Amino acid sequence: MILSVDHVSVAYGKLNAVWDVSLGVGKGEIVTLIGANGAGKTTLLNAIVGLLPVKSGAVYLGERNITGRKAHKLVKLGIGYVAEGRGMFGSMSVLDNLILGAYAQHGGWTSQLGDATWLLRREDLKRRIEHVYQLFPRLTTRENQKAGSLSGGEQQMLAIGRALMTAPKLLLLDEPSLGLAPNLAREIFGLLNRLRDDGMAILLVEQDAVASLRIADRGYVMEMGRIVIEDTAKHLINNDKVRQAYLGQVWGSASETPAQEGENQI
Amino acid sequence: MPHFIRGRGKMLAIATLVVLLSIVPLLGNNYYTSVLLIIGIHAIVTVGLCLLMGYTGQVSLGHAAFYGIGAYIAAILSKTYHVDPWLAMVVAIIATAAFAFAIGFPVFRLRGNYLAMATLGLGIIIWILFRELDWITGGQSGFLDIPTLSIGGFAFDSDFRFYYLVWGFCLAVMFISQNIVGSRMGRAMRAIRDSESASQSLGINATLVKVKILALSAAYAALAGSLYAYYVGFIDPPPFGFLFSIRLVVMAVVGGLASIWGAIFGAASVRLLTEFLHPFGDIDVVLFGLIIVVVMILSPQGVIRGLGDLWRRISRRLTPS
């Protein structure tokens, strides 16, 4: 397992939002976490990446216990995070957003000198940026545009591209398809597939349960801060309870098309 | 080419500024020289505030405190303890920056309005200390006979001489700041302003960056404060109070929060306005409030940028398409 979450609880003050959750993500695997609004999915992600404190339990990256480490230190260990709402640096250009993605890779004292060192590491930066542009050709033409002026889909691509600049082993994504047109969402999911094939471990939180179960290898269903079902994606997609609660298949019909469209329009 | 002089227009503007500034004292009118000198001192503080508020997105309503701490440390060391004024100035800058660095960690646990309140409170506390610790600071009756700066036998004892000293420092501060803004640090600052949590998940230690910038801006304020003390030769608490903190924010806003060179314009506008409104007492504060509101509505990026946009719009309309 690249990521192991071991009996983790997370609280906001006295209010527990995540109860005793355990899950794992292996190399070259997409694991999805589905559940209704307020089930604690985002809270769990924020705790894994160190933006929220873990109340009890432990988080491991490989063999290393990373519980309680600050977010900015986890990046170097190989965790990339695409937060809900994308977290664009809206006043900065697409290129600057990408350059910031590589911030952690050059954190030595020399980096404090400013522009001189930026020239030194330019080759390496260029290679990474080229890689992101290959994955998202659309960003190339937007290079000098302000990130805030991009469309929703482009912003999502930039958010993922920026996270990839950190060269992560493990990528966590929170609602990457939110607010996107169906074809854009498909494009994003297609990319996740490719990243998985390259060996990346991916933890995907999604409201669009159908789409995420389709590309995922395994899935967890969260309810009221707890994991209630855990299975392979194939089994989950055919699980009656899951279908009823998350796939909109009240009548148990075999066709998934109407549900998928309905979800995408949200 | 270093990025801070990229763009011919900017270079031209800066050259013009430098020439204009160096001509003024030669005209021989002491009043204008002293007004421009004070503008230079205020511009140094304003630049620091722009780095903190405009680029890093962190409000400070207590910056007059750092200005005051710098002034008092420089004054007390050089007068009471007969330390060389230059050395006293360096100590004042380092001590103020260290103080800001230390309080930065608890203060930046707060955000937005709460941060504003905390810095406001801090400014008031420091100001009360200036007033009440009268066995050190001279209290309300002030601190007299502060020595002035000199190099060898050359004393900066006239407005004319001090003017060049102040603007020399001011331009140095501008170039340093412009360089920081264009560096990796500057990118991190803007990232924190736009989205703090996203900046953290890219490996930026947001708290540390914020604290460093607070310390840097406090160092600028202390530099300006000690220059002020040496120039006037006398300090008392009023210039370091709450009203001056607000005035500094007005300077930063008018010049453009995220604009280094705008700070000079902001400091100049506020200072000149204060001069004109002098006969009416403290009414200028009301006007400053109004100015902030108007600038934020009409031209949130500062008056200079606003005028530039206006000019572009007019010239576009005048050229036949």
Side-chain angles (χ1 to χ4, degrees):
Chain A
M1 286 290 142
I2 289 199
L3 173 75
S4 320
V5 173
D6 186 22
H7 298 285
V8 159
S9 297
V10 188
Y12 294 102
K14 282 185 179 163
L15 186 78
N16 243 31
V18 170
W19 302 83
D20 195 31
V21 164
S22 299
L23 57 79
V25 186
K27 190 172 156 61
E29 186 183 41
I30 296 181
V31 172
T32 185
L33 190 60
I34 58 179
N37 277 328
K41 301 173 306 231
T42 299
T43 305
L44 179 62
L45 283 195
N46 280 336
I48 292 173
V49 301
L51 288 171
L52 280 175
V54 171
K55 189 181 162 200
S56 63
V59 182
Y60 295 90
L61 188 68
E63 297 297 307
R64 197 198 297 248
N65 187 339
I66 57 165
T67 322
R69 291 222 194 176
K70 290 271 191 305
H72 63 87
K73 289 193 175 149
L74 290 179
V75 185
K76 268 193 182 166
L77 302 180
I79 296 189
Y81 183 35
V82 180
E84 190 179 5
R86 298 156 198 152
M88 284 292 97
F89 304 134
S91 69
M92 303 167 79
S93 71
V94 167
L95 184 62
D96 271 343
N97 268 268
L98 290 177
I99 291 173
L100 271 160
Y103 186 91
Q105 262 65 43
H106 307 272
W109 62 272
T110 46
S111 63
Q112 301 302 331
L113 299 177
D115 271 12
T117 55
W118 141 251
L119 285 173
L120 288 177
R121 61 180 201 253
R122 207 170 50 180
E123 277 311 309
D124 165 54
L125 253 178
K126 250 190 197 157
R127 228 183 10 253
R128 282 172 196 235
I129 291 172
E130 283 306 316
H131 178 64
V132 171
Y133 284 161
Q134 265 171 19
L135 295 173
F136 300 112
R138 207 188 293 230
L139 291 180
T140 320
T141 52
R142 302 273 188 259
E143 188 170 69
N144 295 313
Q145 231 167 290
K146 287 202 170 153
S149 70
L150 300 183
S151 74
E154 288 163 344
Q155 287 194 5
Q156 193 63 60
M157 291 173 186
L158 180 54
I160 295 174
R162 199 176 60 186
L164 292 177
M165 291 289 291
T166 69
K169 289 184 285 193
L170 169 72
L171 185 64
L172 299 96
L173 301 104
D174 196 357
E175 309 273 5
S177 78
L178 192 71
L180 296 192
N183 61 328
L184 277 176
R186 259 197 299 279
E187 201 175 315
I188 302 263
F189 285 131
L191 173 86
L192 296 184
N193 245 332
R194 255 188 293 164
L195 292 174
R196 179 240 324 259
D197 294 343
D198 290 343
M200 198 175 284
I202 296 174
L203 179 58
L204 173 66
V205 163
E206 260 295 335
Q207 295 234 39
D208 187 347
V210 176
S212 62
L213 283 174
R214 275 203 184 135
I215 64 158
D217 300 290
R218 292 186 300 115
Y220 296 84
V221 179
M222 236 177 140
E223 250 170 41
M224 310 282 288
R226 289 187 167 84
I227 285 187
V228 289
I229 309 173
E230 167 191 353
D231 210 332
T232 62
K234 259 194 199 118
H235 286 157
L236 281 177
I237 218 165
N238 293 314
N239 180 314
D240 282 343
K241 236 174 115 183
V242 173
R243 296 175 81 92
Q244 261 180 27
Y246 303 106
L247 308 184
Q249 300 274 307
V250 184
W251 309 109
S253 123
S255 153
E256 279 150 12
T257 330
Q260 188 189 9
E261 280 177 2
E263 294 270 356
N264 275 335
Q265 278 160 8
I266 292 169
Chain B
M1 184 184 282
H3 55 81
F4 51 82
I5 42 175
R6 205 183 286 146
R8 219 201 255 152
K10 197 177 218 174
M11 220 161 113
L12 212 67
I14 292 170
T16 316
L17 181 77
V18 171
V19 171
L20 272 180
L21 283 172
S22 35
I23 288 176
V24 170
L26 301 177
L27 302 176
N29 189 324
N30 250 350
Y31 169 70
Y32 289 119
T33 308
S34 79
V35 168
L36 278 172
L37 192 158
I38 293 292
I39 289 173
I41 290 180
H42 289 176
I44 294 174
V45 194
T46 308
V47 174
L49 202 56
C50 285
L51 289 178
L52 186 68
M53 290 182 63
Y55 288 92
T56 323
Q58 309 301 313
V59 186
S60 169
L61 296 182
H63 242 58
F66 300 126
Y67 182 59
I69 294 174
Y72 272 102
I73 292 180
I76 292 166
L77 283 182
S78 58
K79 163 111 189 288
T80 316
Y81 298 97
H82 306 290
V83 176
D84 177 75
W86 290 106
L87 183 61
M89 186 161 136
V90 172
V91 173
I93 292 170
I94 292 173
T96 311
F99 171 67
F101 194 82
I103 61 161
F105 289 98
V107 162
F108 284 128
R109 297 180 72 96
L110 304 170
R111 298 203 161 77
N113 295 343
Y114 299 100
L115 178 63
M117 293 315 287
T119 52
L120 177 70
L122 189 79
I124 293 175
I125 291 170
I126 303 280
W127 182 72
I128 291 175
L129 289 179
F130 293 150
R131 218 182 48 193
E132 300 301 325
L133 297 176
D134 49 8
W135 64 96
I136 311 174
T137 65
Q140 286 185 336
S141 42
F143 197 87
L144 279 161
D145 297 327
I146 303 162
T148 194
L149 292 160
S150 57
I151 299 175
F154 184 86
F156 292 94
D157 51 4
S158 67
D159 283 9
F160 179 79
R161 289 174 175 182
F162 215 89
Y163 175 92
Y164 287 107
L165 182 71
V166 164
W167 279 98
F169 274 119
C170 185
L171 291 178
V173 162
M174 297 278 160
F175 277 111
I176 293 170
S177 307
Q178 193 68 51
N179 212 349
I180 289 173
V181 163
S183 74
R184 168 186 153 90
M185 180 77 166
R187 236 176 265 120
M189 287 154 64
R190 278 174 285 160
I192 292 168
R193 178 192 63 195
D194 286 357
S195 171
E196 189 170 334
S197 61
S199 75
Q200 283 172 307
S201 50
L202 292 177
I204 296 170
N205 186 343
T207 308
L208 190 62
V209 170
K210 288 193 274 186
V211 170
K212 277 184 184 169
I213 294 301
L214 180 72
L216 180 70
S217 73
Y220 287 173
L223 166 67
S226 48
L227 286 172
Y228 174 83
Y230 292 138
Y231 170 61
V232 182
F234 164 81
I235 49 174
D236 60 350
F240 310 114
F242 166 66
L243 286 182
F244 188 61
S245 288
I246 299 301
R247 223 166 271 183
L248 285 170
V249 174
V250 182
M251 293 179 202
V253 169
V254 168
L257 274 174
S259 153
I260 296 296
W261 294 93
I264 296 181
F265 179 81
S269 327
V270 171
R271 187 65 215 173
L272 293 175
L273 214 60
T274 314
E275 292 291 323
F276 291 135
L277 295 175
H278 209 62
F280 304 104
D282 272 347
I283 196 164
D284 54 349
V285 179
V286 179
L287 202 70
F288 289 144
L290 202 67
I291 289 175
I292 289 199
V293 173
V294 171
V295 170
M296 288 322 266
I297 292 174
L298 292 181
S299 175
Q301 292 181 307
V303 171
I304 292 190
R305 185 76 74 86
L307 289 176
D309 289 348
L310 190 70
W311 169 247
R312 236 164 286 139
R313 220 179 303 162
I314 291 172
S315 57
R316 206 177 305 143
R317 190 160 303 174
L318 290 182
T319 45
S321 50

